[in-house]
Amino acid sequence: MIRINRLTDYAVIVLAEMLRAESLRTVPQLAADTSLPAPTVAKLLKVLAHGRLVTSSRGATGGYSLGRPADAISVADIIEAVEGPIAITMCVEDNDSCCGIESLCSLHGHWTRINQAIRRALTEISLTELARLPAFDMDCWPGPRTKEKVEARKAPCKTKPAP
Amino acid sequence: MIRINRLTDYAVIVLAEMLRAESLRTVPQLAADTSLPAPTVAKLLKVLAHGRLVTSSRGATGGYSLGRPADAISVADIIEAVEGPIAITMCVEDNDSCCGIESLCSLHGHWTRINQAIRRALTEISLTELARLPAFDMDCWPGPRTKEKVEARKAPCKTKPAP
DNA sequence: CTAAAAGGGGACTAATATGGTACTGTTTAA
DNA sequence: TTAAACAGTACCATATTAGTCCCCTTTTAG
């Protein structure tokens, strides 16, 4: 599967929550409203602030708010902020230090076309559209993956016979 | 980044090679012609055969050949054969055993739209188009990642100061 | 009929990447 | 000046990946 990081998903959740009540929100607030662990939300917002998707106010009454109108935030923006440039990186990954000549590597050429197609698709979907969907169903959303939960879930569900 | 498995990239390489000289090819042949490790090529072809992208002939004069015209093989087909269904799996991953009710989970809803957009983009690119590009530049292509190579590459390139 | 060549199908293991956490500043309002 | 909130970095456990190896079945050549 093509997979997007869990963190990127979290980013969408947090941003959607920020859109729902547009005001200055603190990390503890957002963590509570999204049921995500506060440290993770904090880490995420730092990255999003770097990418200018949210703006931060420091100090005792500080917090975060959306950096621009939700219409101007695309899924591509979110993904790029959290995970870096959208690319199905293959041999390219090692090249930044070694061979680095992208234009010569036809292998890379294969995928740039595909990348462009994907990127276009992602650019056309805005945060507004995502947030338009109903609120998360917390009964379904399993929440963050912590040690205890993973352990707890192993027993009742996965009925693998022990080898 | 959105990332595709390295194996999927290998699959494209192998399939392109098979297209270039359409005939019955053995695993050792293909491995040699693509500079990929033979066990990996073998593993890959088994999976591709499962997905009906290649057909296999057994026995002493056996080998593999393309299962259908290259025009009828899309990037989406290749990815699905190697990595399973195209999906940006999020909370859904755990659900097959536990909560499993996709239609209720709006989180899932967020991404199905995106999945569809990506899938469409991938379906429109065929193996023929990929293979039309020039042959791989072997000087650039770093080859498979083996212990020795990884070790060897550490020294001259990454100039991290040892901590 | 036998042996060798080739695919089929797992299982195992090392390396990597990810996600989660903690700790230590720095800024700013009360 | 103190507390609350963001900033930055570094760390560890775990999950996933890719690569390899093993034994089995099928099929053809001799």
Side-chain angles (χ1 to χ4, degrees), chain A residues 88-100:
Chain A
I88 305 186
T89 53
M90 304 276 83
C91 67
V92 192
E93 275 184 298
D94 290 334
N95 292 2
D96 49 59
S97 56
C98 291
C99 100

Side-chain angles (χ1 to χ4, degrees), chain A residues 1-4 9 83 87-88 90 93-94 98-99 105 107 110-111 113 129-130 133 140 153 157, chain B residues 1-4 9 83 87-88 90 93-94 98-99 105 107 110-111 113 129-130 133 140 153 157:
Chain A
M1 332 174 214
I2 304 181
R3 51 176 56 193
I4 279 191
D9 190 36
E83 315 189 18
I88 305 186
M90 304 276 83
E93 275 184 298
D94 290 334
C98 291
C99 100
C105 183
L107 232 269
H110 281 169
W111 295 103
R113 247 210 84 185
E129 288 185 74
L130 292 184
L133 293 164
C140 171
R153 192 175 301 153
C157 291
Chain B
M1 332 175 216
I2 304 180
R3 49 178 57 195
I4 277 190
D9 190 35
E83 316 190 17
I88 305 185
M90 306 274 83
E93 274 185 297
D94 290 336
C98 291
C99 100
C105 182
L107 231 269
H110 281 168
W111 295 103
R113 247 209 83 186
E129 288 184 74
L130 293 184
L133 293 163
C140 172
R153 191 178 299 154
C157 293

Side-chain angles (χ1 to χ4, degrees), chain B residues 20-40:
Chain B
R20 197 165 300 129
E22 275 197 80
S23 62
L24 208 59
R25 314 282 290 278
T26 70
V27 167
Q29 275 174 3
L30 286 169
D33 292 342
T34 56
S35 299
L36 296 177
T40 301

Side-chain angles (χ1 to χ4, degrees), chain B residues 50-123:
Chain B
H50 253 212
R52 307 289 176 194
L53 295 185
V54 301
T55 54
S56 64
S57 313
R58 307 185 62 164
T61 60
Y64 290 97
S65 55
L66 286 182
R68 22 174 167 137
D71 285 329
I73 299 179
S74 72
V75 175
D77 292 330
I78 300 173
I79 293 177
E80 289 190 340
V82 177
E83 316 190 17
I86 292 178
I88 305 185
T89 53
M90 306 274 83
C91 68
V92 192
E93 274 185 297
D94 290 336
N95 292 2
D96 49 59
S97 56
C98 291
C99 100
I101 317 167
E102 294 186 0
S103 57
L104 282 183
C105 182
S106 71
L107 231 269
H108 183 69
H110 281 168
W111 295 103
T112 41
R113 247 209 83 186
I114 300 175
N115 282 342
Q116 286 165 2
I118 290 181
R119 196 173 193 299
R120 188 173 314 126
L122 294 178
T123 306

